[in-house]
Amino acid sequence: MEQRPLGTVGLRVSALGLGCMGMSDFYGAHDDGASIETMHRAIALGVTFFDTADVYGPFTNEQLVGRAIADRRSQVVLATKFGNVRDEKGTFLGINGRPEYVKQACDASLRRLGVETIDLYYQHRVDATVPIEETVGAMAELVAAGKVRYLGLSEAGPETIRRAHAVHPISALQTEYSLWTRDPEGTVLPVCRELGIGFVAYSPLGRGFLTGRFRTADDLEANDWRRNNPRFQGENFVHNLALADRVRDMARRKACTPAQIALAWLLRQGDDIVPIPGSRRIERIEENAHANDVHYALSAADMAEMDALFPPGAAAGTRYPEAGMTTLNR
């Protein structure tokens, strides 16, 4: 697996990462033992950039990742996040970017992960009530204390990115980006490139939709969060299914899988792009890892065709329900 730089101050990660959220939360039933085996297989394949957050579980996903990497910490670039606040029952309590909370959250994450240092520490969502300079100032103190190596932001807007970067170098911005979510191309991605900030693409497979796995909403488990996602509902689902079929058809022509073609398209967007597809199954990790090879096989004509099939705004429905949308691009 090739390595890619995130930012300009030394962070390098595998070209494909692993999103660990679904191993503990949001996407139905989970099996910790199988998830640990999946993480170990990812490391063996060179997929060594792991992404978690304190809010996943809540709290249990960090513990799970910590268990998985306990005897192979040196092989993994570990990213986690703070800022989205939930209680033990999972109730969402809001967003907190206050300096004192930043430090409390980091210490709690270090304990759950069982590590001395977090490689990449993100603000998960921007707290509109706290100046970003204060939040990033507290994050910078964590770097000075040796608790964190590099800083990141998630779903931050262009002006916030500029202000944060002026306080301390931001190595990565994490935002949803895929064939059916191309919004960053006209907003935050140009700013990241101007400032030398890497871009981490979460949900690069459209929360699984682009793989062709879902043909009706009934394919989702009853407690799967995606049932509440506008893109998985009603006429939006029907419209987006046609988009997924376009991915499937092109993948068939290129002798690869839909997931591989979708990830390969992202990898071709630039060496500063690092997708972090999530999976709980070893076979999916093995499949996704081969996207690193597929992207070299895509021609300029292939890329142009995919751009034409998936112009910005092609997907029907918003990325999150209404309340979630208010926290994006701040």
Side-chain angles (χ1 to χ4, degrees):
M1 180 67 62
E2 68 176 271
Q3 299 287 300
R4 293 189 165 187
L6 288 178
T8 59
V9 289
L11 178 59
R12 294 185 65 84
V13 301
S14 54
L16 283 170
L18 176 61
C20 300
M21 179 189 78
M23 295 177 178
S24 302
D25 209 355
F26 297 109
Y27 291 167
H30 53 271
D31 180 327
D32 286 355
S35 292
I36 289 174
E37 291 179 0
T38 296
M39 285 185 268
H40 288 173
R41 180 58 178 151
I43 293 170
L45 291 168
V47 179
T48 54
F49 179 37
F50 285 13
D51 183 271
T52 182
D54 56 5
V55 75
Y56 302 156
F59 316 123
T60 56
N61 193 242
E62 286 185 325
Q63 295 170 345
L64 176 65
V65 172
R67 287 166 52 200
I69 69 171
D71 62 347
R72 55 203 81 192
R73 174 67 181 97
S74 63
Q75 301 176 56
V76 173
V77 176
L78 179 61
T80 192
K81 315 177 198 71
F82 74 92
N84 278 336
V85 185
R86 295 168 79 191
D87 64 18
E88 294 284 350
K89 296 180 180 179
T91 303
F92 183 64
L93 302 178
I95 297 171
N96 193 338
R98 294 194 301 274
E100 63 273 18
Y101 178 77
V102 175
K103 297 173 183 179
Q104 293 167 7
C106 180
D107 287 342
S109 287
L110 288 168
R111 288 194 299 271
R112 285 189 292 266
L113 290 162
V115 299
E116 295 182 354
T117 308
I118 295 164
D119 296 310
L120 176 59
Y121 199 42
Y122 292 101
Q123 182 183 21
H124 205 161
R125 291 291 188 273
V126 174
D127 185 345
T129 69
V130 178
I132 192 64
E133 290 83 357
E134 294 183 13
T135 302
V136 175
M139 295 169 71
E141 291 180 19
L142 296 173
V143 175
K147 295 181 178 182
V148 170
R149 292 193 174 95
Y150 303 97
L151 302 186
L153 302 173
S154 179
E155 293 288 1
E159 183 59 27
T160 299
I161 296 168
R162 291 184 187 281
R163 290 167 54 194
H165 194 66
V167 175
H168 187 280
I170 301 299
S171 290
L173 176 78
Q174 182 177 140
T175 292
E176 185 173 349
Y177 186 27
S178 70
L179 279 168
W180 76 343
T181 301
R182 297 184 61 177
D183 315 31
E185 293 175 355
T187 54
V188 296
L189 187 52
V191 174
C192 288
R193 286 177 166 161
E194 175 191 336
L195 299 175
I197 298 171
F199 192 101
V200 175
Y202 77 80
S203 295
L205 300 176
R207 303 189 184 279
F209 208 122
L210 295 176
T211 68
R213 173 185 171 193
F214 306 113
R215 306 306 296 177
T216 74
D218 291 336
D219 291 332
L220 297 163
E221 294 182 43
N223 62 340
D224 193 311
W225 173 86
R226 287 170 288 196
R227 284 182 173 269
N228 299 314
N229 185 292
R231 292 187 174 179
F232 285 77
Q233 296 176 336
E235 291 302 314
N236 290 344
F237 189 103
V238 176
H239 174 92
N240 294 331
L241 186 60
L243 296 180
D245 287 343
R246 293 177 185 176
V247 180
R248 180 193 61 191
D249 292 343
M250 188 163 191
R252 184 181 297 118
R253 286 189 279 117
K254 301 301 293 184
C256 63
T257 69
Q260 289 167 346
I261 203 85
L263 292 172
W265 177 85
L266 263 177
L267 289 168
R268 280 287 292 273
Q269 298 310 304
D271 291 341
D272 55 348
I273 306 288
V274 176
I276 52 168
S279 183
R280 295 172 288 191
R281 299 166 58 186
I282 287 177
E283 56 266 36
R284 294 286 80 81
I285 295 295
E286 294 172 339
E287 175 187 348
N288 292 346
H290 284 293
N292 194 51
D293 303 318
V294 173
H295 95 272
Y296 288 109
L298 293 178
S299 67
D302 293 331
M303 294 297 292
E305 179 182 353
M306 294 175 77
D307 285 341
L309 289 172
F310 297 90
T318 54
R319 296 200 275 133
Y320 288 90
E322 184 176 356
M325 291 298 294
T326 65
T327 69
L328 307 181
N329 205 36
R330 282 179 166 178

